[in-house]
Amino acid sequence: MISLEKLTKVYGRGDSRTVVLDGLDFSVASGEIFAVVGPSGAGKSTLAHCVNLLERPTSGAVLVNGENLSRLSEKQLRVARRSIGTIFQADGLFSRRTAAANVALPLDYLGATPAETKRRVGELLERVGLSDKASSYPHQLSGGQRQRVGIARALALRPSILLSDEATSGLDPESTASIVDLLKELRDDLDLSILFITHEMDTVLQVADSVARLDHGHIVESGALVDLLRDADSDLGRALRPRRDWEAASGADGIWFVSYEGRHVRPDWVSLLGAELGVPISILGASIERINGVTVGHATLGIGGVDPARVTGALAALGLTATLDDAALRPESDELEDVA
């Protein structure tokens, strides 16, 4: 488990003082993948450097399994850092070393025996699906394979925490999906706490259990991924699953934006809604999928000739929330008058 308590990082002094991280508080439990997202300049890279103590926080604490790393001496910190494995955006492999030799680096540094190193490297390359690439050099590997070697190296010292700093950035969708599947498998098998720092919202949907948004050094919103996606008022939930363009409705239809709120929405809810209201339902757009075992998403519907209160009531009974786009109901003549 890893926890941040009032973590603050300040650069400079006086008029040149810049607060990059300001009192961050969050925890990542064992067996949890916690994603941190945010725009460029939000402080994500600084957060990664402070978590593995490549940079010392100005104040606050980084606790790993109850031990405050922020208070350790450099000698003590070198030992404690073994509990945190880091996967970087650039794989960081040495071009003149084979995949096996790159994975062996942390073990060589600690003075493991050749037999111990060979056994552990073999285990790790098998774990990441690259046993047949042990003798390959980085230039002979794909981007996804190089990142797998980086993951194997991060696991060499049996850490309890895995820090992924933009590890899938720049990979193609297929390689990204394979890395995500590998991280989830490692989380389950090794009971790791994984802090996944990224700007890729689609990847967060694939990998995260919980997510926080970092903006100008502050956590502005956080929560379980599924809860955020089911909360119609969540800015982070909308950013993770933005509303797409939809088909135009007929002139008699009102446009309704519907979001999944309940955990057990029936798959035939559109048919049930039409039967309850006694009118045809037009599906103008939708984005619905299963995430972490729960169906989440939203749909845009065209519904005409029904009291809005009946529509919201019927949808609520089905575990859905809805808002009516009043602008879509404005008469065409009014629009022409506005343009004139």
Side-chain angles (χ1 to χ4, degrees):
M1 176 176 183
I2 183 168
S3 298
L4 307 187
E5 296 182 354
K6 305 297 182 185
L7 187 75
T8 299
K9 181 63 179 178
V10 179
Y11 293 103
R13 296 181 179 180
D15 294 339
S16 63
R17 184 175 183 270
T18 302
V19 180
V20 180
L21 301 176
D22 192 2
L24 302 190
D25 284 291
F26 64 80
S27 296
V28 187
S30 298
E32 179 182 20
I33 300 179
F34 188 101
V36 176
V37 301
S40 178
K44 299 192 300 298
S45 295
T46 302
L47 172 61
H49 294 160
C50 286
V51 165
N52 58 22
L53 274 295
L54 291 177
E55 292 192 41
R56 292 256 184 188
T58 304
S59 62
V62 177
L63 293 93
V64 173
N65 300 323
E67 183 178 28
N68 188 348
L69 305 192
S70 316
R71 295 179 178 175
L72 301 182
S73 67
E74 288 300 322
K75 182 178 180 180
Q76 292 170 322
L77 187 56
R78 283 194 293 272
V79 176
R81 260 201 205 104
R82 298 173 194 171
S83 61
I84 303 177
T86 303
I87 315 165
F88 299 99
Q89 177 177 353
D91 52 66
L93 303 183
F94 288 86
S95 61
R96 296 186 179 182
R97 297 178 70 110
T98 64
N102 269 286
V103 174
L105 274 171
L107 299 164
D108 293 342
Y109 177 78
L110 285 182
T113 67
E116 290 171 335
T117 298
K118 182 178 179 179
R119 182 174 60 253
R120 181 64 176 153
V121 169
E123 292 173 355
L124 290 167
L125 287 176
E126 183 178 0
R127 163 70 71 175
V128 301
L130 292 178
S131 293
D132 60 335
K133 301 294 183 182
S135 299
S136 298
Y137 289 87
H139 73 273
Q140 297 172 312
L141 302 174
S142 69
Q145 288 172 335
R146 290 195 299 271
Q147 200 59 282
R148 283 174 175 265
V149 175
I151 292 172
R153 183 176 59 189
L155 294 172
L157 302 183
R158 305 182 189 276
S160 59
I161 311 295
L162 205 55
L163 171 61
S164 172
D165 185 11
E166 298 282 7
T168 59
S169 179
L171 296 180
D172 61 76
E174 184 177 352
S175 296
T176 295
S178 72
I179 294 298
V180 163
D181 288 343
L182 176 59
L183 290 176
K184 292 168 76 172
E185 178 184 314
L186 293 171
R187 179 270 312 271
D188 294 339
D189 290 350
L190 304 178
D191 200 30
L192 296 171
S193 302
I194 300 181
L195 180 57
F196 191 88
I197 298 174
T198 185
H199 67 278
E200 300 172 316
M201 295 299 202
D202 287 344
T203 306
V204 171
L205 292 175
Q206 298 174 49
V207 73
D209 300 303
S210 303
V211 58
R213 178 176 172 83
L214 183 65
D215 197 357
H216 292 89
H218 297 273
I219 297 293
V220 294
E221 189 177 3
S222 65
L225 175 62
V226 167
D227 292 342
L228 293 168
L229 293 173
R230 287 164 46 219
D231 184 353
D233 296 324
S234 168
D235 291 334
L236 180 51
R238 285 193 294 272
L240 288 163
R241 183 173 292 283
R243 187 181 296 160
R244 312 296 184 184
D245 289 339
W246 57 87
E247 291 289 333
S250 67
D253 285 347
I255 295 179
W256 288 85
F257 302 119
V258 178
S259 299
Y260 280 58
E261 183 178 52
R263 296 183 67 88
H264 304 290
V265 177
R266 289 179 51 165
D268 59 346
W269 65 266
V270 175
S271 298
L272 296 173
L273 178 65
E276 174 66 23
L277 299 179
V279 298
I281 306 294
S282 301
I283 301 177
L284 309 178
S287 177
I288 300 164
E289 65 181 307
R290 294 279 289 181
I291 293 180
N292 296 341
V294 178
T295 303
V296 297
H298 51 71
T300 304
L301 306 180
I303 306 173
V306 182
D307 179 6
R310 281 193 64 207
V311 176
T312 55
L315 287 166
L318 294 168
L320 302 153
T321 60
T323 57
L324 176 62
D325 182 5
D326 294 328
L329 294 176
R330 187 172 55 186
E332 185 176 350
S333 58
D334 289 349
E335 293 183 14
L336 293 175
E337 288 175 7
D338 290 343
V339 173

